[in-house]
Amino acid sequence: MCGIVGFTGNQNAAPILLDGLKKLEYRGYDSAGIAVLGEEGIHMVKASGRIQNLVEKTQDGAALPGSTGIGHTRWATHGEPTDVNAHPHMSNDEKIAIVHNGIIENYAQLREELQAKGFQFKSDTDTEVVAHLMDLYYEGDLKKAVLKTISRLEGAYALGILCAEEKGRIIAARHAAPLIVGVGIGENYFASDVTALVAYTKNVIYLEDGEIADITPESVTVYDSLGKAQEKTVTRIAWDIAAAEKGGYDHFMLKEIMEQPNAIKSTIEPRIKDGEVVLDDFSLTDEELKNINKIMITACGSAYYAGSVGKYVIEDLCRIPVEADLASELRYRNPLVDEHTLLVVVSQSGETADTIAAMKECKARGARVLAIVNVVGSTIAKLADDVLYTWAGPEIAVATTKGYTTQVAVLDLLAVYLARRLGRLDDQRYRALVKAIEQFPSLVQRAIDLNPNLPALAEKYHGYNDIFFLGRNLDYAASMEGSLKLKEISYLHSEAYAAGELKHGTIALIEKDRPVIALACYERLFDKMMSNIKEVKARGAQVLAVALEGNRQIFAEADDVIFVPQTEPLFNTLPEVVPLQLFAYYVARANGCDIDKPKNLAKSVTVE
Ligand code: G6P
């Protein structure tokens, strides 16, 4: 959601800004713009729609000569996605240009105040107040003006600022929205995340909330909100440009699906040593562990569905009550959370606004917070007491795949680890579970290899407008993710139901030829699922079943079958979800959808 990039150096800024914005496309956006400081002041170009429009309008950047600039992809919150509302926004005298990610909550008061002082507003955005405040406070020192401006802002912001009177200088400011600084040789950068920078530098500085970075081609100085210089470490990013490119695949989503065996391997391998689960990053003492009487898992979107898998597995193995809560709900209820609660926060980006808010709420009530996060240095990683990184590498497609499966893998590891420490697993069962986890990478690869017929199945089912997913227990948790994948990238109406709920409403919608995807891998409840399949078949549904490899019974009812390899029943969701991701991918492809950038969706939802 909204991407920011900034450059200062000795080469033309515009092509670098455009390239950075392309890398940030995956975050979700509906307009884009850049501003470059040239010989005759700031030159700004904005375009609604895809970055390609901006590329064309600027002749690949050639129309904006100058070696200092800022750029932005906007995901509309306040005001429609028009050229006027696109960022950058400029002060009336065109001295200051700014880009912003986040929401300025007190913008209405500020706008009134600034209008009373004679400032003219051109857009409907909350952001424009920042450009005018900067103008109001600028007296020849950009840093001073930024500090004064941010002291007036309430809400969340990552800001990039350019001033016509300060050649070669850009300032970045961060509060509750992601922003990093890239450190190069004779040139420096800022960006919302490392994907925009990795082609240019692997050295980054993670900014903390309240900090500003004063950047020239030769220097980066970071200050706190009071203007005091801060000591910062330069971190080397572990992955390279190939990780942020398609590598021969038609879409990032397909590449990321295929990367899952490796991503899961990177996630689990360092955490299993000599047959033992070792979670060095989780510093809970025995005393603290005994003190925990409840585990709560919170997240949004697919991360929440991963958390729903975790709920079943952790509760089953640890015999501790486990709740999985949507962060957007948890943050506004009055939850029973205290120092006896372990809150597990799950997030690929580590920047999801609702997840951060729910986490802060529970932390304030005394909960111990363990985060399962993919992005190093993200807000959630910083706020948590402990972090288990998923090590999935960069995920670019908006619809998560390897992000989700690595989250599930970590939750499975966590379940086994906690159960062992709590004395709930005997040696034999523990060894069997660890062994099953060690096989996750090959299991997921087999789930891919077993189903070469998925494009054909997608051809058969892609034309239907409504699809239902059914499952029980862990199959239900997996069905929610399978249904979300299909819905978000192919725009089919798809809903997941706990199969036991079928008779409480959904069955009214089952009619001739209605596709039903029935997940029947959870063996303990296989017969129950078969009954549900019979019920929908009796009403004319076409059933695409998902069943364990070797299961022949399923053919008695199902029209089509996706087979998944066998594993420990508690870990079925991993091999089960992977063919469903592929099914969604091929359906979306058959429907001609923009798979990596589905309409209206954002990768990183940094506003509420
Ligand atoms: C967005 C993404 C989803 C993701 C969700 C939570 O909706 O499109 O793929 O599951 O946000 O994001 P997080 O980064 O917290 O896992």
Side-chain angles (χ1 to χ4, degrees):
M1 208 169 246
C2 293
I4 287 183
V5 58
F7 172 81
T8 175
N10 295 311
Q11 44 178 327
N12 269 347
I16 296 172
L17 298 173
L18 289 170
D19 182 52
L21 292 182
K22 280 185 204 153
K23 297 279 169 18
L24 295 175
E25 276 192 295
Y26 79 96
R27 296 170 67 87
Y29 73 103
D30 32 45
S31 57
I34 56 174
V36 173
L37 179 56
E39 289 304 321
E40 282 146 31
I42 296 175
H43 189 175
M44 179 171 78
V45 180
K46 313 201 264 189
S48 52
R50 291 292 178 220
I51 307 260
Q52 194 49 34
N53 302 345
L54 187 64
V55 169
E56 281 160 24
K57 258 185 154 173
T58 60
Q59 290 140 34
D60 283 322
L64 288 85
S67 57
T68 316
I70 55 178
H72 189 267
T73 47
R74 172 173 186 254
W75 191 88
T77 57
H78 294 61
E80 287 173 26
T82 56
D83 287 9
V84 172
N85 287 335
H87 299 210
H89 289 282
M90 285 239 234
S91 57
N92 291 150
D93 58 5
E94 302 195 346
K95 197 166 57 197
I96 310 262
I98 66 134
V99 289
H100 167 226
N101 170 18
I103 292 180
I104 307 297
E105 282 165 7
N106 59 337
Y107 84 98
Q109 294 108 279
L110 291 171
R111 190 176 170 118
E112 228 171 82
E113 177 189 322
L114 288 157
Q115 274 169 334
K117 288 192 163 79
F119 289 95
Q120 303 289 321
F121 280 77
K122 293 191 183 124
S123 75
D124 308 319
T125 65
D126 53 323
T127 303
E128 200 181 343
V129 295
V130 183
H132 299 314
L133 276 178
M134 281 294 303
D135 187 6
L136 179 67
Y137 295 132
Y138 183 71
E139 290 170 345
D141 183 339
L142 194 60
K143 179 190 139 203
K144 266 196 190 152
V146 172
L147 288 173
K148 227 163 169 183
T149 298
I150 61 175
S151 73
R152 301 289 319 277
L153 304 179
E154 287 167 22
Y157 53 81
L159 291 168
I161 299 157
L162 177 70
C163 175
E165 290 179 11
E166 310 245 0
K167 205 163 171 262
R169 194 175 185 192
I170 44 175
I171 288 194
R174 176 198 155 120
H175 179 72
L179 198 57
I180 57 167
V181 176
V183 182
I185 299 168
E187 52 188 39
N188 291 308
Y189 318 76
F190 60 70
S192 298
D193 66 50
V194 292
T195 47
L197 301 182
V198 72
Y200 304 96
T201 179
K202 288 190 185 175
N203 297 324
V204 301
I205 295 173
Y206 292 104
L207 295 179
E208 303 286 333
D209 281 351
E211 286 182 341
I212 72 163
D214 192 347
I215 306 170
T216 68
E218 303 301 336
S219 66
V220 176
T221 318
V222 177
Y223 300 94
D224 69 7
S225 57
L226 300 173
K228 193 163 166 270
Q230 304 293 299
E231 284 281 320
K232 299 295 286 185
T233 347
V234 176
T235 308
R236 186 117 181 115
I237 307 162
W239 46 270
D240 61 21
I241 185 67
E245 287 178 348
K246 282 188 204 151
Y249 287 96
D250 287 346
H251 297 95
F252 280 110
M253 184 178 178
L254 187 57
K255 174 181 174 241
E256 288 159 6
I257 290 173
M258 297 307 181
E259 278 173 354
Q260 289 179 110
N262 271 335
I264 293 171
K265 190 166 178 229
S266 310
T267 305
I268 59 175
E269 217 171 55
R271 288 163 173 146
I272 300 181
K273 292 183 188 133
D274 303 324
E276 297 284 335
V277 179
V278 184
L279 298 184
D280 285 335
D281 309 331
F282 189 22
S283 59
L284 203 71
T285 63
D286 287 343
E287 204 50 46
E288 286 165 336
L289 182 57
K290 260 191 233 134
N291 205 22
I292 301 290
N293 62 16
K294 176 163 86 172
I295 296 177
M296 289 178 75
I297 306 176
T298 197
C300 298
S302 292
Y304 166 70
Y305 294 143
S308 306
V309 174
K311 171 187 157 69
Y312 284 105
V313 182
I314 298 172
E315 198 163 72
D316 190 294
L317 293 177
C318 299
R319 313 311 302 147
I320 285 185
V322 184
E323 290 172 25
D325 268 282
L326 288 166
S328 51
E329 288 294 315
L330 180 62
R331 67 180 289 189
Y332 292 121
R333 69 179 167 87
N334 187 8
L336 282 170
V337 172
D338 58 21
E339 62 281 10
H340 302 293
T341 309
L342 173 65
L343 181 77
V344 180
V345 178
V346 188
S347 175
Q348 189 283 126
S349 63
E351 301 293 350
T352 303
D354 279 325
T355 310
I356 295 170
M359 170 181 186
K360 285 184 176 164
E361 179 65 38
C362 293
K363 221 178 162 187
R365 290 166 191 246
R368 166 96 182 200
V369 179
L370 169 66
I372 298 176
V373 173
N374 193 37
V375 178
V376 175
S378 56
T379 304
I380 291 175
K382 283 197 205 127
L383 290 174
D385 297 306
D386 301 282
V387 185
L388 294 173
Y389 283 106
T390 41
W391 303 129
E395 194 179 57
I396 309 293
V398 166
T400 182
T401 51
K402 62 176 181 170
Y404 167 89
T405 47
T406 51
Q407 286 162 354
V408 171
V410 172
L411 286 159
D412 288 342
L413 270 173
L414 179 67
V416 173
Y417 172 82
L418 288 176
R420 180 65 164 175
R421 279 189 64 184
L422 288 164
R424 305 274 149 76
L425 290 177
D426 62 34
D427 274 1
Q428 202 190 357
R429 175 94 171 115
Y430 175 66
R431 303 266 163 254
L433 290 168
V434 175
K435 198 157 174 236
I437 292 178
E438 281 178 313
Q439 286 162 358
F440 280 174
S442 52
L443 188 74
V444 165
Q445 186 59 54
R446 180 144 180 83
I448 296 171
D449 298 342
L450 264 182
N451 292 289
N453 58 336
L454 286 167
L457 285 174
E459 274 306 318
K460 175 172 174 187
Y461 289 99
H462 80 96
Y464 293 93
N465 288 330
D466 301 284
I467 294 197
F468 292 98
F469 280 70
L470 296 177
R472 288 172 181 261
N473 196 286
L474 281 156
D475 284 339
Y476 172 49
S479 74
M480 292 193 280
E481 175 58 9
S483 170
L484 179 65
K485 279 294 83 82
L486 188 63
K487 173 166 27 197
E488 61 187 348
I489 60 166
S490 73
Y491 316 142
L492 296 190
H493 166 234
S494 166
E495 284 188 53
Y497 276 89
E501 282 290 291
L502 185 63
K503 294 192 190 68
H504 300 288
T506 322
I507 202 156
L509 301 170
I510 303 298
E511 54 189 38
K512 187 160 168 358
D513 290 339
R514 172 84 72 226
V516 171
I517 301 186
L519 279 67
C521 295
Y522 192 69
E523 278 181 304
R524 195 160 62 79
L525 297 174
F526 179 75
D527 292 343
K528 303 278 174 205
M529 263 318 286
M530 278 304 266
S531 304
N532 293 127
I533 292 174
K534 283 187 181 125
E535 285 157 8
V536 294
K537 282 295 297 177
R539 284 152 185 91
Q542 299 186 73
V543 172
L544 168 57
V546 183
L548 291 178
E549 193 179 0
N551 181 328
R552 310 309 303 167
Q553 263 174 285
I554 197 75
F555 285 113
E557 297 297 337
D559 297 276
D560 298 289
V561 184
I562 291 172
F563 279 116
V564 301
Q566 305 236 7
T567 177
E568 151 65 41
L570 280 175
F571 301 150
N572 268 339
T573 39
L574 270 189
E576 213 174 359
V577 158
V578 173
L580 294 177
Q581 297 168 341
L582 281 164
F583 179 72
Y585 173 81
Y586 289 119
V587 169
R589 207 172 69 171
N591 284 349
C593 300
D594 190 354
I595 296 180
D596 284 337
K597 297 185 284 285
K599 65 180 178 204
N600 304 335
L601 296 184
K603 177 82 185 152
S604 181
V605 182
T606 51
V607 295
E608 190 176 352

